[in-house]
Amino acid sequence: MLVESIAFALVGLVTGGAASRALPSYFRASRALTVGTALAAALVGGTVAHFCLDGQYPPVSVAASALASGVLTSLLARPDLAAGRAPAHRHHPHRPGTHRAPRRHRPA
């Protein structure tokens, strides 16, 4: 289990480092938070997979730790704040000339 734990930690460090270096505009949080989240997710995900598989398939446990690390690290990504991207939500201010005039109710 010690060798697998070291492998899980390496997977987490690589995942967090790759995420923060490849897409720095998506991860506005500190690099320590991104790498720490990836590391913790890899350790927990790999340990859960190890005990679910009864320690029989170490490569599957390492793959599960990579999957858990990638999924939980992606929760920190903020593509809406990335440079050069327009807001993707529907409550953004209208551009001039594109919004409709309000409807007026007719008196009864």
Side-chain angles (χ1 to χ4, degrees):
M1 180 71 186
L2 178 66
V3 174
E4 287 182 25
S5 297
I6 292 171
F8 300 155
L10 288 175
V11 164
L13 291 172
V14 168
T15 303
S20 63
R21 282 186 183 262
L23 300 167
S25 62
Y26 279 33
F27 293 97
R28 295 292 178 122
S30 68
R31 183 170 286 176
L33 178 66
T34 304
V35 173
T37 300
L39 178 63
L43 288 171
V44 170
T47 303
V48 168
H50 173 80
F51 285 113
C52 286
L53 297 172
D54 205 23
Q56 297 294 320
Y57 305 102
V60 176
S61 297
V62 172
S65 75
L67 180 69
S69 179
V71 168
L72 289 179
T73 303
S74 72
L75 293 177
L76 297 175
R78 295 291 309 265
D80 57 330
L81 297 179
R85 292 194 53 148
H89 51 82
R90 47 180 215 170
H91 297 293
H92 62 85
H94 292 284
R95 291 179 200 96
T98 60
H99 103 274
R100 295 175 21 189
R103 287 185 168 193
R104 293 187 180 165
H105 296 288
R106 288 189 226 161

